[in-house]
Amino acid sequence: AAFAFKALFLVDATSLWIDELSSVGKSFRSDYSGLIAWLRWDTHPPLYYTLLWLWGGVAGKTSVSLRLFSWLAYVLAGVLITWQSGVLAPRDVREKAMACTALLVFCSPYPVRFAIEGKSYTFLVLLIALGWFLRCRCLRQQHCLIGLLGYGFVVAAASLTHFYGLFIFFAAGFWDLCRRRWRLGSVV
């Protein structure tokens, strides 16, 4: 919690750098048609910038609100990853596994660094963690239609957020097809 709040206080510690300014230029336009026109010529998938445009309408179009979106994704992803480690760990070491996971997720330099940048990386980590959670849930439950639909939605969202999301879930889908998990593989 201390590291998460330390990252929150660092949100406004530095000025925006060039990639963040690019995010601002794309997402903090006055109308959505301007964003779509920009994204037609851009190499990045559109979901993150669309969400930033919506976020800017609610939280304001400032450097702090840009970075606050990343910080919120960092906290949600950290909580989800920590909770998932508890679900996957045996009962006798569950608390230790969750404590170690929380330390790694919240205190490692890269998550803290990306939590205070106005880029799509922490949002992508949140989507991957959510996708992995739903995928594991579908592996445990044979007939999990809601889980499969949620997994498909998250796979699509991650793929439309960053190309790494597309590649990670493509690899997972390929693995599932090789393991004859037809439903999970076909969702991807």
Side-chain angles (χ1 to χ4, degrees):
F3 267 84
F5 284 112
K6 180 181 180 185
L8 176 62
F9 293 126
L10 293 173
V11 162
D12 198 27
T14 61
S15 59
L16 296 177
W17 63 291
I18 189 122
D19 280 356
E20 291 175 307
L21 290 171
S22 174
S23 294
V24 167
K26 294 174 197 174
S27 301
F28 287 173
R29 296 186 169 269
S30 58
D31 63 352
Y32 189 68
S33 61
L35 172 64
I36 294 303
W38 182 290
L39 290 175
R40 283 190 186 123
W41 302 104
D42 195 49
T43 59
H44 296 90
L47 181 62
Y48 174 73
Y49 300 106
T50 298
L51 292 175
L52 269 184
W53 185 82
L54 293 169
W55 175 257
V58 173
K61 297 177 180 184
T62 66
S63 62
V64 172
S65 70
L66 173 73
R67 290 177 173 172
L68 188 60
F69 187 80
S70 293
W71 182 82
L72 289 171
Y74 156 76
V75 170
L76 291 173
V79 169
L80 181 60
I81 292 168
T82 301
W83 181 63
Q84 188 173 6
S85 72
V87 170
L88 295 173
R91 287 185 188 258
D92 57 331
V93 294
R94 183 169 292 154
E95 291 174 2
K96 290 178 183 177
M98 290 177 73
C100 288
T101 301
L103 284 172
L104 288 172
V105 169
F106 287 106
C107 304
S108 296
Y110 288 114
V112 172
R113 173 66 188 177
F114 291 138
I116 59 172
E117 284 188 2
K119 295 300 294 172
S120 62
Y121 303 122
T122 54
F123 184 67
L124 178 65
V125 168
L126 173 62
L127 290 174
I128 291 170
L130 183 58
W132 230 247
F133 168 76
L134 292 170
R135 183 179 176 277
C136 289
R137 185 174 180 197
C138 289
L139 284 172
R140 288 191 308 267
Q141 300 173 356
Q142 291 296 331
H143 304 287
C144 182
L145 182 61
I146 293 174
L148 283 173
L149 290 174
Y151 181 54
F153 177 77
V154 171
V155 167
S159 299
L160 290 170
T161 297
H162 200 284
F163 292 118
Y164 290 138
L166 174 68
F167 299 141
I168 286 171
F169 284 115
F170 178 77
F174 180 73
W175 176 256
D176 286 331
L177 289 174
C178 289
R179 300 291 307 239
R180 300 178 192 262
R181 297 178 190 136
W182 306 118
R183 288 182 182 166
L184 284 173
S186 65
V187 164
V188 173

PDB file of all heavy atoms in Angstrom, residues 166-184:
ATOM      1  N   LEU A 166      -2.124  -8.663 -28.233  1.00  0.00           N
ATOM      2  CA  LEU A 166      -2.456  -9.555 -29.340  1.00  0.00           C
ATOM      3  C   LEU A 166      -1.506 -10.741 -29.377  1.00  0.00           C
ATOM      4  O   LEU A 166      -1.932 -11.899 -29.458  1.00  0.00           O
ATOM      5  CB  LEU A 166      -2.388  -8.787 -30.662  1.00  0.00           C
ATOM      6  CG  LEU A 166      -2.574  -9.582 -31.941  1.00  0.00           C
ATOM      7  CD1 LEU A 166      -4.001 -10.092 -32.052  1.00  0.00           C
ATOM      8  CD2 LEU A 166      -2.213  -8.719 -33.143  1.00  0.00           C
ATOM      9  N   PHE A 167      -0.211 -10.505 -29.256  1.00  0.00           N
ATOM     10  CA  PHE A 167       0.778 -11.574 -29.340  1.00  0.00           C
ATOM     11  C   PHE A 167       0.708 -12.520 -28.143  1.00  0.00           C
ATOM     12  O   PHE A 167       0.826 -13.736 -28.307  1.00  0.00           O
ATOM     13  CB  PHE A 167       2.182 -10.994 -29.474  1.00  0.00           C
ATOM     14  CG  PHE A 167       2.367 -10.163 -30.719  1.00  0.00           C
ATOM     15  CD1 PHE A 167       3.104  -9.004 -30.679  1.00  0.00           C
ATOM     16  CD2 PHE A 167       1.787 -10.538 -31.925  1.00  0.00           C
ATOM     17  CE1 PHE A 167       3.269  -8.227 -31.819  1.00  0.00           C
ATOM     18  CE2 PHE A 167       1.943  -9.773 -33.073  1.00  0.00           C
ATOM     19  CZ  PHE A 167       2.688  -8.616 -33.015  1.00  0.00           C
ATOM     20  N   ILE A 168       0.505 -11.994 -26.957  1.00  0.00           N
ATOM     21  CA  ILE A 168       0.430 -12.848 -25.767  1.00  0.00           C
ATOM     22  C   ILE A 168      -0.766 -13.791 -25.857  1.00  0.00           C
ATOM     23  O   ILE A 168      -0.649 -14.994 -25.619  1.00  0.00           O
ATOM     24  CB  ILE A 168       0.391 -12.000 -24.482  1.00  0.00           C
ATOM     25  CG1 ILE A 168       1.774 -11.414 -24.220  1.00  0.00           C
ATOM     26  CG2 ILE A 168      -0.098 -12.806 -23.288  1.00  0.00           C
ATOM     27  CD1 ILE A 168       1.820 -10.396 -23.117  1.00  0.00           C
ATOM     28  N   PHE A 169      -1.924 -13.250 -26.203  1.00  0.00           N
ATOM     29  CA  PHE A 169      -3.102 -14.103 -26.261  1.00  0.00           C
ATOM     30  C   PHE A 169      -3.092 -15.005 -27.497  1.00  0.00           C
ATOM     31  O   PHE A 169      -3.653 -16.094 -27.473  1.00  0.00           O
ATOM     32  CB  PHE A 169      -4.383 -13.279 -26.162  1.00  0.00           C
ATOM     33  CG  PHE A 169      -4.642 -12.810 -24.757  1.00  0.00           C
ATOM     34  CD1 PHE A 169      -4.622 -11.468 -24.435  1.00  0.00           C
ATOM     35  CD2 PHE A 169      -4.872 -13.726 -23.747  1.00  0.00           C
ATOM     36  CE1 PHE A 169      -4.846 -11.048 -23.137  1.00  0.00           C
ATOM     37  CE2 PHE A 169      -5.097 -13.324 -22.444  1.00  0.00           C
ATOM     38  CZ  PHE A 169      -5.086 -11.971 -22.141  1.00  0.00           C
ATOM     39  N   PHE A 170      -2.446 -14.565 -28.574  1.00  0.00           N
ATOM     40  CA  PHE A 170      -2.284 -15.452 -29.719  1.00  0.00           C
ATOM     41  C   PHE A 170      -1.450 -16.667 -29.317  1.00  0.00           C
ATOM     42  O   PHE A 170      -1.781 -17.804 -29.659  1.00  0.00           O
ATOM     43  CB  PHE A 170      -1.630 -14.723 -30.893  1.00  0.00           C
ATOM     44  CG  PHE A 170      -1.390 -15.608 -32.080  1.00  0.00           C
ATOM     45  CD1 PHE A 170      -2.431 -15.969 -32.925  1.00  0.00           C
ATOM     46  CD2 PHE A 170      -0.128 -16.110 -32.344  1.00  0.00           C
ATOM     47  CE1 PHE A 170      -2.216 -16.795 -34.012  1.00  0.00           C
ATOM     48  CE2 PHE A 170       0.100 -16.939 -33.433  1.00  0.00           C
ATOM     49  CZ  PHE A 170      -0.947 -17.283 -34.266  1.00  0.00           C
ATOM     50  N   ALA A 171      -0.374 -16.433 -28.561  1.00  0.00           N
ATOM     51  CA  ALA A 171       0.461 -17.549 -28.096  1.00  0.00           C
ATOM     52  C   ALA A 171      -0.332 -18.458 -27.160  1.00  0.00           C
ATOM     53  O   ALA A 171      -0.225 -19.690 -27.256  1.00  0.00           O
ATOM     54  CB  ALA A 171       1.704 -17.011 -27.390  1.00  0.00           C
ATOM     55  N   ALA A 172      -1.137 -17.876 -26.270  1.00  0.00           N
ATOM     56  CA  ALA A 172      -1.957 -18.694 -25.370  1.00  0.00           C
ATOM     57  C   ALA A 172      -2.987 -19.498 -26.158  1.00  0.00           C
ATOM     58  O   ALA A 172      -3.229 -20.673 -25.862  1.00  0.00           O
ATOM     59  CB  ALA A 172      -2.649 -17.802 -24.339  1.00  0.00           C
ATOM     60  N   GLY A 173      -3.598 -18.867 -27.157  1.00  0.00           N
ATOM     61  CA  GLY A 173      -4.567 -19.582 -27.992  1.00  0.00           C
ATOM     62  C   GLY A 173      -3.929 -20.711 -28.770  1.00  0.00           C
ATOM     63  O   GLY A 173      -4.504 -21.801 -28.883  1.00  0.00           O
ATOM     64  N   PHE A 174      -2.747 -20.465 -29.312  1.00  0.00           N
ATOM     65  CA  PHE A 174      -2.026 -21.510 -30.035  1.00  0.00           C
ATOM     66  C   PHE A 174      -1.692 -22.669 -29.092  1.00  0.00           C
ATOM     67  O   PHE A 174      -1.855 -23.839 -29.446  1.00  0.00           O
ATOM     68  CB  PHE A 174      -0.749 -20.930 -30.659  1.00  0.00           C
ATOM     69  CG  PHE A 174       0.053 -21.933 -31.429  1.00  0.00           C
ATOM     70  CD1 PHE A 174      -0.378 -22.383 -32.661  1.00  0.00           C
ATOM     71  CD2 PHE A 174       1.243 -22.428 -30.908  1.00  0.00           C
ATOM     72  CE1 PHE A 174       0.350 -23.316 -33.371  1.00  0.00           C
ATOM     73  CE2 PHE A 174       1.987 -23.361 -31.614  1.00  0.00           C
ATOM     74  CZ  PHE A 174       1.541 -23.805 -32.843  1.00  0.00           C
ATOM     75  N   TRP A 175      -1.245 -22.343 -27.882  1.00  0.00           N
ATOM     76  CA  TRP A 175      -0.940 -23.362 -26.882  1.00  0.00           C
ATOM     77  C   TRP A 175      -2.191 -24.170 -26.537  1.00  0.00           C
ATOM     78  O   TRP A 175      -2.139 -25.401 -26.442  1.00  0.00           O
ATOM     79  CB  TRP A 175      -0.356 -22.725 -25.626  1.00  0.00           C
ATOM     80  CG  TRP A 175      -0.107 -23.690 -24.518  1.00  0.00           C
ATOM     81  CD1 TRP A 175      -0.839 -23.859 -23.391  1.00  0.00           C
ATOM     82  CD2 TRP A 175       0.958 -24.649 -24.446  1.00  0.00           C
ATOM     83  NE1 TRP A 175      -0.311 -24.850 -22.610  1.00  0.00           N
ATOM     84  CE2 TRP A 175       0.801 -25.358 -23.242  1.00  0.00           C
ATOM     85  CE3 TRP A 175       2.015 -24.977 -25.270  1.00  0.00           C
ATOM     86  CZ2 TRP A 175       1.663 -26.370 -22.854  1.00  0.00           C
ATOM     87  CZ3 TRP A 175       2.873 -25.989 -24.875  1.00  0.00           C
ATOM     88  CH2 TRP A 175       2.694 -26.664 -23.677  1.00  0.00           C
ATOM     89  N   ASP A 176      -3.310 -23.481 -26.350  1.00  0.00           N
ATOM     90  CA  ASP A 176      -4.547 -24.187 -26.026  1.00  0.00           C
ATOM     91  C   ASP A 176      -4.985 -25.108 -27.164  1.00  0.00           C
ATOM     92  O   ASP A 176      -5.451 -26.224 -26.917  1.00  0.00           O
ATOM     93  CB  ASP A 176      -5.659 -23.187 -25.697  1.00  0.00           C
ATOM     94  CG  ASP A 176      -5.471 -22.556 -24.335  1.00  0.00           C
ATOM     95  OD1 ASP A 176      -4.889 -23.203 -23.449  1.00  0.00           O
ATOM     96  OD2 ASP A 176      -5.906 -21.397 -24.156  1.00  0.00           O
ATOM     97  N   LEU A 177      -4.833 -24.668 -28.398  1.00  0.00           N
ATOM     98  CA  LEU A 177      -5.181 -25.536 -29.526  1.00  0.00           C
ATOM     99  C   LEU A 177      -4.252 -26.743 -29.602  1.00  0.00           C
ATOM    100  O   LEU A 177      -4.704 -27.856 -29.887  1.00  0.00           O
ATOM    101  CB  LEU A 177      -5.145 -24.751 -30.838  1.00  0.00           C
ATOM    102  CG  LEU A 177      -6.261 -23.726 -31.026  1.00  0.00           C
ATOM    103  CD1 LEU A 177      -6.028 -22.905 -32.286  1.00  0.00           C
ATOM    104  CD2 LEU A 177      -7.629 -24.397 -31.052  1.00  0.00           C
ATOM    105  N   CYS A 178      -2.965 -26.533 -29.333  1.00  0.00           N
ATOM    106  CA  CYS A 178      -2.024 -27.660 -29.315  1.00  0.00           C
ATOM    107  C   CYS A 178      -2.350 -28.646 -28.204  1.00  0.00           C
ATOM    108  O   CYS A 178      -2.120 -29.854 -28.350  1.00  0.00           O
ATOM    109  CB  CYS A 178      -0.586 -27.146 -29.152  1.00  0.00           C
ATOM    110  SG  CYS A 178       0.047 -26.319 -30.616  1.00  0.00           S
ATOM    111  N   ARG A 179      -2.894 -28.162 -27.103  1.00  0.00           N
ATOM    112  CA  ARG A 179      -3.280 -29.017 -25.974  1.00  0.00           C
ATOM    113  C   ARG A 179      -4.714 -29.539 -26.115  1.00  0.00           C
ATOM    114  O   ARG A 179      -5.251 -30.119 -25.183  1.00  0.00           O
ATOM    115  CB  ARG A 179      -3.142 -28.247 -24.655  1.00  0.00           C
ATOM    116  CG  ARG A 179      -1.766 -27.728 -24.323  1.00  0.00           C
ATOM    117  CD  ARG A 179      -0.802 -28.829 -24.001  1.00  0.00           C
ATOM    118  NE  ARG A 179      -1.321 -29.694 -22.989  1.00  0.00           N
ATOM    119  CZ  ARG A 179      -0.753 -29.941 -21.826  1.00  0.00           C
ATOM    120  NH1 ARG A 179       0.385 -29.374 -21.542  1.00  0.00           N
ATOM    121  NH2 ARG A 179      -1.298 -30.754 -20.960  1.00  0.00           N
ATOM    122  N   ARG A 180      -5.333 -29.296 -27.242  1.00  0.00           N
ATOM    123  CA  ARG A 180      -6.698 -29.739 -27.560  1.00  0.00           C
ATOM    124  C   ARG A 180      -7.748 -29.122 -26.641  1.00  0.00           C
ATOM    125  O   ARG A 180      -8.762 -29.741 -26.323  1.00  0.00           O
ATOM    126  CB  ARG A 180      -6.803 -31.253 -27.561  1.00  0.00           C
ATOM    127  CG  ARG A 180      -5.891 -31.901 -28.580  1.00  0.00           C
ATOM    128  CD  ARG A 180      -5.992 -33.406 -28.515  1.00  0.00           C
ATOM    129  NE  ARG A 180      -4.947 -34.031 -29.269  1.00  0.00           N
ATOM    130  CZ  ARG A 180      -5.087 -34.495 -30.502  1.00  0.00           C
ATOM    131  NH1 ARG A 180      -6.220 -34.367 -31.129  1.00  0.00           N
ATOM    132  NH2 ARG A 180      -4.072 -35.063 -31.111  1.00  0.00           N
ATOM    133  N   ARG A 181      -7.493 -27.901 -26.233  1.00  0.00           N
ATOM    134  CA  ARG A 181      -8.499 -27.138 -25.493  1.00  0.00           C
ATOM    135  C   ARG A 181      -9.210 -26.262 -26.534  1.00  0.00           C
ATOM    136  O   ARG A 181      -8.931 -25.077 -26.665  1.00  0.00           O
ATOM    137  CB  ARG A 181      -7.825 -26.274 -24.423  1.00  0.00           C
ATOM    138  CG  ARG A 181      -7.110 -27.073 -23.387  1.00  0.00           C
ATOM    139  CD  ARG A 181      -6.431 -26.134 -22.401  1.00  0.00           C
ATOM    140  NE  ARG A 181      -5.550 -26.856 -21.526  1.00  0.00           N
ATOM    141  CZ  ARG A 181      -4.322 -26.467 -21.183  1.00  0.00           C
ATOM    142  NH1 ARG A 181      -3.846 -25.324 -21.640  1.00  0.00           N
ATOM    143  NH2 ARG A 181      -3.590 -27.187 -20.378  1.00  0.00           N
ATOM    144  N   TRP A 182     -10.112 -26.874 -27.248  1.00  0.00           N
ATOM    145  CA  TRP A 182     -10.704 -26.258 -28.432  1.00  0.00           C
ATOM    146  C   TRP A 182     -11.470 -24.993 -28.109  1.00  0.00           C
ATOM    147  O   TRP A 182     -11.415 -24.028 -28.868  1.00  0.00           O
ATOM    148  CB  TRP A 182     -11.590 -27.261 -29.165  1.00  0.00           C
ATOM    149  CG  TRP A 182     -10.891 -28.532 -29.490  1.00  0.00           C
ATOM    150  CD1 TRP A 182     -11.191 -29.789 -29.053  1.00  0.00           C
ATOM    151  CD2 TRP A 182      -9.738 -28.687 -30.339  1.00  0.00           C
ATOM    152  NE1 TRP A 182     -10.316 -30.712 -29.567  1.00  0.00           N
ATOM    153  CE2 TRP A 182      -9.397 -30.048 -30.368  1.00  0.00           C
ATOM    154  CE3 TRP A 182      -8.949 -27.807 -31.078  1.00  0.00           C
ATOM    155  CZ2 TRP A 182      -8.338 -30.552 -31.090  1.00  0.00           C
ATOM    156  CZ3 TRP A 182      -7.884 -28.308 -31.806  1.00  0.00           C
ATOM    157  CH2 TRP A 182      -7.579 -29.666 -31.813  1.00  0.00           C
ATOM    158  N   ARG A 183     -12.194 -24.986 -27.004  1.00  0.00           N
ATOM    159  CA  ARG A 183     -12.995 -23.798 -26.674  1.00  0.00           C
ATOM    160  C   ARG A 183     -12.113 -22.583 -26.382  1.00  0.00           C
ATOM    161  O   ARG A 183     -12.347 -21.510 -26.904  1.00  0.00           O
ATOM    162  CB  ARG A 183     -13.886 -24.080 -25.467  1.00  0.00           C
ATOM    163  CG  ARG A 183     -15.021 -24.997 -25.781  1.00  0.00           C
ATOM    164  CD  ARG A 183     -15.886 -25.196 -24.593  1.00  0.00           C
ATOM    165  NE  ARG A 183     -16.959 -26.127 -24.919  1.00  0.00           N
ATOM    166  CZ  ARG A 183     -17.720 -26.701 -24.046  1.00  0.00           C
ATOM    167  NH1 ARG A 183     -17.568 -26.434 -22.770  1.00  0.00           N
ATOM    168  NH2 ARG A 183     -18.665 -27.534 -24.411  1.00  0.00           N
ATOM    169  N   LEU A 184     -11.100 -22.778 -25.542  1.00  0.00           N
ATOM    170  CA  LEU A 184     -10.223 -21.639 -25.229  1.00  0.00           C
ATOM    171  C   LEU A 184      -9.443 -21.183 -26.444  1.00  0.00           C
ATOM    172  O   LEU A 184      -9.286 -19.993 -26.687  1.00  0.00           O
ATOM    173  CB  LEU A 184      -9.245 -22.028 -24.104  1.00  0.00           C
ATOM    174  CG  LEU A 184      -9.839 -22.069 -22.699  1.00  0.00           C
ATOM    175  CD1 LEU A 184      -8.812 -22.631 -21.719  1.00  0.00           C
ATOM    176  CD2 LEU A 184     -10.273 -20.701 -22.267  1.00  0.00           C
TER     177      LEU A 184
END
